[in-house]
Each structure stands twice: as structure tokens, then as C-alpha cells.
Amino acid sequence: MAPHESWDEQLFALFDDLEGQAAARFELERDAELVDRSRSVYHRVSLDSRLVASLGEQLTLEVAGVGRIDGELQRVGEGWGLMSGHAQDWIVRTAAVRVVQGASERSVPEVAWSPLHKLGLGSALRRLAESQARCIVHLVEGTQHEALVRRVGSDFVEVLTPSQARLLVAFESISAVQSRD
């Protein structure tokens, strides 16, 4: 207690000190609550939403049945991404992605996606069928087929091999489609 302070001043100083302590305690509790809340909400963040936030970035993907793919992420749709590599483009099914390196810290919630981001794997494969581009279809267990995409069904793609064999390949068995031309 300072000798020159009145009783009122001392009382207000005590209240100011208590308010400061309460504010500091509130900030600590609020920060802890925000961290806890952000952790509890993070379970809603999907790989696709992190990839949408990573458009234009150089990424390294580890893909089942393929291995490592390095390149720029150019497009993301629902369940797939388009990577532009050194000499090839890759349509990668996100369900086959095992590891992503170089992704943005952010995510873009699905409600903020453009209509193009909501196009599925079938849309990307239909573009290949229209362009008549040769490609290599990589399957999740490691096999691959050099092919020309002919038609795309709701959950499969019909391809024509160089020996003229027609194959129906289920979307869920595809890990990636690699450009050949």
C-alpha cells in the first residue's frame, strides 16, 4: 500500500489487479478451448479438401500400385487429382494415395469448392476417351495396362489394349492413369 493512495484508489487498484488476473486466466482457458475445438472439428477435414487448398503446388504423392509421383497439382475433383509431372500427366484416385508431401497447411471446405471440383473420376476419364489419348492404367495391386479409354460407365471404364482386347476396369481398382503421348 502506497502512503499517498486513498482508500478508494487502493480498492480500485485491487479490482484492477483482480480483473487483470481474471482476464489472463480467461485467455488461457479460451486458448485451450480453441485448440481443443479445432482438434475436434479437424476430423471433418478430408484429403480432397486439403488437396483443393494445394492447387498449383509441387507435391510428392505415394500411390498404391504406382509408387512415387512428383509434380504440380493442377486440378482436383471429387475423389481424384490431376498431377502434371516431368514428362507426363497423372490422374490419381485419392483413395489410392497413401502419402502426400508438400500439401498446403490449409483446407478448403467442400461448400467453397467450384462446380469443377465436384466432378468425379468418370468426368476425367471421359475427357481421355474424347481425346483418344493413349495411357497406362495402373491398378492398386500393382498391375498396369497400356490402353485407349473407349467409354466410361458409372463405376467402371472400358479400355482397349494394343492387342485389341476390351477390358472393363472398376474405378475402385484404379490407382492412377498415366498419360502416354
Side-chain angles (χ1 to χ4, degrees):
M1 180 191 287
H4 300 33
E5 288 182 350
S6 71
W7 183 82
D8 293 359
E9 290 172 330
Q10 292 173 12
L11 188 59
F12 286 125
L14 175 64
F15 287 148
D16 287 344
D17 184 49
L18 289 173
E19 280 182 14
Q21 289 178 28
R25 180 170 284 134
F26 173 78
E27 286 297 318
L28 284 173
E29 289 174 4
R30 185 179 69 91
D31 290 348
E33 182 181 337
L34 288 174
V35 167
D36 186 48
R37 190 178 299 166
S38 69
R39 285 182 183 147
S40 69
V41 172
Y42 194 73
H43 78 278
R44 296 184 192 140
V45 175
S46 68
L47 178 59
D48 285 347
S49 70
R50 288 290 301 271
L51 291 175
V52 170
S54 302
L55 283 168
E57 299 290 332
Q58 291 291 324
L59 303 180
T60 298
L61 305 179
E62 291 292 332
V63 181
V66 175
R68 180 180 173 143
I69 298 174
D70 296 308
E72 180 184 332
L73 183 61
Q74 293 191 330
R75 178 163 291 173
V76 175
E78 196 169 299
W80 64 278
L82 174 63
M83 294 278 289
S84 181
H86 174 62
Q88 298 162 332
D89 289 336
W90 294 82
I91 296 171
V92 179
R93 197 169 62 87
T94 53
V97 172
R98 301 297 179 239
V99 177
V100 177
Q101 182 179 350
S104 170
E105 294 271 335
R106 301 179 330 98
S107 71
V108 176
E110 193 171 332
V111 296
W113 293 4
S114 80
L116 294 177
H117 292 130
K118 295 183 181 187
L119 296 175
L121 178 63
S123 295
L125 295 174
R126 281 184 198 89
R127 294 293 305 255
L128 287 178
E130 291 168 5
S131 69
Q132 297 287 300
R134 294 180 314 139
C135 59
I136 299 174
V137 178
H138 295 266
L139 304 182
V140 291
E141 82 277 352
T143 61
Q144 61 187 35
H145 300 279
E146 187 172 338
L148 184 66
V149 176
R150 301 300 292 167
R151 298 187 292 184
V152 180
S154 65
D155 61 352
F156 73 96
V157 61
E158 179 182 316
V159 298
L160 186 63
T161 68
S163 66
Q164 301 301 306
R166 287 193 185 277
L167 305 175
L168 304 180
V169 184
F171 286 173
E172 68 182 35
S173 67
I174 297 172
S175 59
V177 178
Q178 175 186 6
S179 66
R180 189 75 174 150
D181 295 329

